[in-house]
Amino acid sequence: MSTSTYVVAGMTCSGCAGRVRSAVGKVAGVTDVGVDPVTGQVTIASDGTLDDSKVRDAVKAAGYEVKD
């Protein structure tokens, strides 16, 4: 199991966090998603190596953007 952390711009409430959590949770290999809308941190647990582009695409599909 591995953990990755991303910072997502534009989240302002628990509804935002829920949309990001739901979208990222559908990415292959993701086993758990923790989202803090105050700091913008999204912590993802996975059963292997995550495809970074798929995580970024999921965040974008939810209406937000991963900060670099």
Side-chain angles (χ1 to χ4, degrees):
M1 177 157 344
S2 65
T3 303
S4 302
T5 302
Y6 293 82
V7 177
V8 175
M11 292 189 300
T12 58
C13 65
S14 61
C16 299
R19 284 188 288 281
V20 170
R21 184 180 299 109
S22 177
V24 172
K26 294 176 185 173
V27 174
V30 171
T31 58
D32 190 39
V33 182
V35 181
D36 183 340
V38 175
T39 63
Q41 284 196 321
V42 177
T43 304
I44 305 166
S46 62
D47 58 8
T49 304
L50 280 177
D51 184 336
D52 183 66
S53 65
K54 289 187 180 183
V55 172
R56 289 174 181 273
D57 288 347
V59 170
K60 187 173 183 177
Y64 305 93
E65 185 176 336
V66 174
K67 289 181 167 182
D68 290 320

